[in-house]
């Protein structure tokens, strides 16, 4: 019961943050944005539950988060990296980050164009305090990218969802590049390169 109360408290805190920090021009846009973010949160919890409340693979997390946003996933999405599994406390924020990135790619970036694509590469690398998970999100073939004038909720979520992560957002004209470097403890991730 203590664990359940803790999980519910954390979940309600995330929902409250989503509701409070989502911005939109109209009430309808606000409802749509909040609904999409809460649905993404629900999807992440379903994924973790289907993994028997333990670990989920990064590849599966990416497939479930990104593929609904690409009409022809095989042509538009490239996913490559080690076969690793993540603890729920890492998987949930990563899911929310990828949801924000793919939603933005569909509205303003590579997936808003028929010729656009997204490449996500990851690996386990040496980090300052041991091992780190390095993830690179790269968009190509979409509209020309410009850094937004204001930092919205999505950018703040990407930057702060994983407190121990270093995040670099590069608004290159050819497409957004997001690099994440997450220091790992021994229980956060496990697995080996298989490809």
């Amino acid at each position: 019961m203590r664990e359940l109360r803790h999980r519910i408290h954390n979940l309600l805190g995330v929902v409250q943050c989503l509701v409070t920090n989502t911005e939109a021009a109209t009430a309808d846009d606000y409802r749509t944005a909040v609904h999409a973010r809460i649905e993404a949160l629900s999807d992440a919890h379903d994924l973790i539950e289907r993994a028997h409340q333990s670990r989920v693979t990064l590849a599966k997390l990416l497939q479930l988060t990104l593929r609904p946003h690409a009409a022809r996933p095989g042509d538009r999405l490239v996913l490559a990296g080690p076969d690793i599994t993540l603890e729920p406390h890492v998987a949930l924020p990563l899911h929310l980050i990828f949801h924000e990135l793919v939603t933005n790619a569909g509205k303003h970036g590579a997936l808003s164009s028929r010729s656009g694509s997204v490449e996500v590469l990851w690996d386990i690398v040496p980090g300052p305090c041991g091992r780190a998970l390095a993830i690179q999100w790269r968009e190509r073939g979409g509209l020309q990218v410009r850094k937004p004038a204001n930092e919205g909720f999505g950018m703040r979520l990407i930057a702060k969802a994983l407190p121990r992560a270093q995040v670099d957002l590069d608004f290159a004209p050819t497409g957004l590049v997001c690099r994440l470097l997450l220091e790992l403890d021994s229980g956060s991730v496990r697995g080996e390169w298989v490809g």
Side-chain angles (χ1 to χ4, degrees):
M1 287 301 294
R2 188 177 305 128
E3 176 63 22
L4 180 61
R5 281 195 301 270
H6 178 71
R7 283 187 179 203
I8 289 171
H9 179 74
N10 286 347
L11 178 61
L12 291 174
V14 171
V15 170
Q16 184 177 21
C17 180
L18 296 177
V19 170
T20 302
N21 291 295
T22 298
E23 298 173 6
T26 68
D28 284 341
D29 290 347
Y30 175 82
R31 276 191 294 275
T32 300
V34 167
H35 182 267
R37 287 181 171 135
I38 291 175
E39 190 173 358
L41 182 62
S42 175
D43 291 346
H45 276 278
D46 287 347
L47 177 65
I48 291 166
E49 289 299 317
R50 285 194 302 269
H52 306 293
Q53 298 181 347
S54 59
R55 294 177 174 95
V56 62
T57 68
L58 179 54
K60 187 69 168 173
L61 179 79
L62 283 162
Q63 289 168 0
L64 291 174
T65 307
L66 306 183
R67 292 204 188 278
H69 296 271
R72 299 180 320 274
D75 300 337
R76 306 196 69 188
L77 298 175
V78 175
L79 309 176
D83 182 21
I84 61 171
T85 54
L86 305 168
E87 289 288 346
H89 73 275
V90 174
L92 181 60
L94 276 177
H95 174 75
L96 293 173
I97 289 169
F98 292 132
H99 178 264
E100 289 298 322
L101 287 167
V102 76
T103 299
N104 186 65
K107 289 181 181 177
H108 313 289
L111 299 180
S112 67
S113 162
R114 289 179 182 260
S115 61
S117 64
V118 172
E119 175 184 78
V120 186
L121 306 175
W122 66 93
D123 202 356
I124 303 296
V125 299
C129 300
R131 296 180 319 146
L133 174 61
I135 303 171
Q136 179 177 269
W137 168 284
R138 180 179 296 277
E139 297 182 30
R140 291 190 174 98
L143 303 173
Q144 185 172 6
V145 175
R146 279 181 254 157
K147 185 173 182 175
N150 299 316
E151 182 183 85
F153 174 69
M155 286 179 59
R156 289 193 303 273
L157 185 142
I158 292 166
K160 298 181 192 270
L162 284 163
R164 296 183 302 155
Q166 296 174 23
V167 179
D168 175 50
L169 288 169
D170 179 6
F171 293 89
T174 55
L176 176 70
V177 179
C178 177
R179 294 176 191 91
L180 299 164
L181 184 66
L182 173 64
E183 287 292 324
L184 300 172
D185 56 46
S186 59
S188 294
V189 62
R190 65 179 178 181
E192 300 297 331
W193 181 264
V194 295

